[in-house]
Amino acid sequence: MNNFILHTPTKVLFGKGQVAQLRGQIPSDARILVTYGGGSVVRSGLLDQIRSELAGLTLFEFGGIEPNPTYETLMGAVELARAEKVDFLLAVGGGSVLDGSKFIAAAAHYDPARDPWHILETVGGEVASAIPLGSVLTLPATGSEMNMGAVITRKSTGDKQHFFSPFVMPRFAVLDPVLTYTLPARQVANGVVDAFIHTLEQYLTYPVDAKVQDRFAEGLLLTLAEEGPKALVEPENYDVRANIMWSATLALNGLIGAGVPQDWATHMLGHEITALHGLDHAQTLAVVLPALLQAKREQKRAKLLQYAERVWDLRSGSDEARIDGAIAATRDFFERMGIKTRLRDYVADARIDALLAKLEEHGMTALGEHGDIDLAQSRHIYEAAW
């Protein structure tokens, strides 16, 4: 097991009705900006409930944060936060709202002489402070409610980039599975697949005798594979939703990635597809991952065989047959969740040269746990994903 430092200071308020605990998590003299996405939090009555819970406090609101949150939209919230001297952010929604709110939090405090996009260009390395933030999660998927990462799109330039900063780690996260009951099936499926691949990015690399992390990861994978399809047919099954919600948080809060090598090439390749073609984040991951696993099967052999046995119960046949079976089972799981796994299912022209040009522009020329996925290998993976 590799050395690691793990610090996860986010307070989690998990379970039915925990929104009622919200007021006690925010300073009574705070100037609060509530951020949210589309109209679902309005239609469900959640926004009204939050207003009621925070009655008497100074509230401002900013809605319209889209899936794959854009710099162009978020800068409106940055200007509002600066003008109103906001000193606390409350993100209400899924990973996109959380990611966008992290950018708002960092950008509002950023050097006014710099374009806040510089935060993304430097991967958050120059963020020195941020507005404190908390969240009420409505869509389990990204784990953003309990980590320090965010991904932002700049529509005008076709860029989708990420940043990390301990200053944007949420102070608290309210996780009520009931709030996920009304999610459309597409969002439920996306969330499950997103969490599943987050887990694989930290698990399917090479062994370092990290038995605890491996078994935690395998438990999450088994839970998501078991409960994901149930969530599509039993939308108000509390236990199913609770297990999915907690799995998605644990998949990317640092726990299973501590002390182990990590990949993340699937995400980097997928981000460029989203930026160019507008696919959902989880759709791009489901497209890229099977092709990447085939391309890197030798480098990932030991962990692929472990994955085949422990997650998909593939214990007989040759090593090659079991690896093939594990990759096929993964693809089949995504398809059963209703997410297609070929790029041609979504677009008429992959525009691979344009994808590769953006990878090169963003410095993504040595991806994967070994840093051995160069542009030629990325081309091969994109072509295989077609």
Side-chain angles (χ1 to χ4, degrees):
M1 189 186 306
N2 299 332
N3 292 359
F4 65 88
I5 297 172
L6 179 63
H7 181 56
T8 54
T10 305
K11 180 179 181 180
V12 175
L13 296 88
F14 190 97
K16 189 181 302 183
Q18 290 284 33
V19 174
Q21 305 296 322
L22 189 58
R23 191 183 189 96
Q25 313 310 313
I26 301 175
S28 60
D29 59 349
R31 297 175 63 80
I32 307 159
L33 177 60
V34 179
T35 56
Y36 57 96
S40 62
V41 298
V42 177
R43 291 190 300 271
S44 69
L46 177 58
L47 189 59
D48 280 339
Q49 183 183 358
I50 288 171
R51 289 169 178 153
S52 176
E53 296 293 344
L54 302 181
L57 303 186
T58 304
L59 293 183
F60 307 92
E61 296 179 9
F62 185 89
I65 297 176
E66 57 272 89
N68 301 307
T70 66
Y71 166 86
E72 289 82 357
T73 295
L74 298 173
M75 283 305 297
V78 173
E79 292 168 6
L80 175 61
R82 287 172 171 170
E84 298 294 348
K85 297 180 172 53
V86 166
D87 54 18
F88 200 94
L89 286 173
L90 179 64
V92 183
S96 292
V97 174
L98 273 154
D99 281 13
S101 298
K102 289 177 181 179
F103 175 77
I104 296 164
H109 279 198
Y110 211 57
D111 180 353
R114 288 189 180 275
D115 179 347
W117 187 253
H118 186 254
I119 294 169
L120 285 302
E121 293 174 331
T122 55
V123 200
E126 296 185 25
V127 173
S129 66
I131 299 173
L133 71 151
S135 71
V136 177
L137 187 69
T138 62
L139 172 57
T142 68
S144 192
E145 65 276 5
M146 203 176 177
N147 66 43
M148 62 180 183
V151 181
I152 308 297
T153 298
R154 191 164 193 170
K155 193 184 303 183
S156 62
T157 58
D159 292 310
K160 183 174 182 180
Q161 294 184 251
H162 62 274
F163 80 96
F164 303 98
S165 172
F167 294 104
V168 300
M169 180 75 81
R171 302 290 179 89
F172 65 85
V174 175
L175 276 60
D176 181 348
V178 174
L179 299 179
T180 72
Y181 285 179
T182 59
L183 288 172
R186 173 173 165 175
Q187 291 185 338
V188 173
N190 279 348
V192 170
V193 169
D194 197 2
F196 194 91
I197 298 179
H198 283 162
T199 306
L200 289 182
E201 294 272 36
Q202 301 162 87
Y203 172 76
L204 274 182
T205 56
Y206 55 87
V208 293
D209 200 29
K211 294 178 180 178
V212 174
Q213 293 91 321
D214 278 1
R215 290 188 168 104
F216 266 128
E218 289 154 5
L220 295 177
L221 295 169
L222 287 164
T223 300
L224 291 164
E226 180 179 314
E227 302 290 71
K230 292 179 186 177
L232 297 178
V233 297
E234 302 176 40
E236 295 191 11
N237 184 321
Y238 180 85
D239 291 328
V240 167
R241 293 303 180 113
N243 279 298
I244 289 174
M245 181 170 255
W246 191 224
S247 293
T249 298
L250 292 172
L252 203 55
N253 74 340
L255 180 66
I256 65 170
V260 300
Q262 300 183 28
D263 185 347
W264 299 108
T266 295
H267 274 68
M268 298 305 102
L269 296 174
H271 286 339
E272 303 303 350
I273 296 174
T274 293
L276 184 64
H277 293 297
L279 273 67
D280 295 347
H281 175 57
Q283 291 172 341
T284 72
L285 301 181
V287 162
V288 171
L289 180 72
L292 185 143
L293 294 180
Q294 284 287 5
K296 307 305 293 183
R297 60 189 290 147
E298 288 306 315
Q299 292 85 348
K300 296 177 181 290
R301 172 175 290 271
K303 292 303 286 287
L304 276 167
L305 289 168
Q306 182 176 311
Y307 173 61
E309 176 181 337
R310 296 186 183 180
V311 176
W312 298 117
D313 199 29
L314 300 173
R315 301 171 185 273
S316 60
S318 68
D319 287 359
E320 298 306 320
R322 281 180 284 145
I323 290 173
D324 285 340
I327 296 172
T330 305
R331 188 187 292 276
D332 179 65
F333 170 55
F334 299 158
E335 295 276 354
R336 284 190 291 115
M337 291 300 300
I339 298 185
K340 300 296 184 181
T341 58
R342 298 286 184 182
L343 189 51
R344 61 178 173 266
D345 292 322
Y346 301 99
V347 298
D349 180 1
R351 297 178 61 192
I352 290 174
D353 287 342
L355 294 170
L356 294 170
K358 279 297 184 182
L359 282 174
E360 185 170 25
E361 179 184 330
H362 296 149
M364 301 298 170
T365 57
L367 298 174
E369 66 269 28
H370 298 291
D372 57 354
I373 300 179
D374 58 14
L375 290 177
Q377 182 103 101
S378 293
R379 177 183 291 277
H380 169 75
I381 292 168
Y382 280 138
E383 289 173 347
W386 175 248

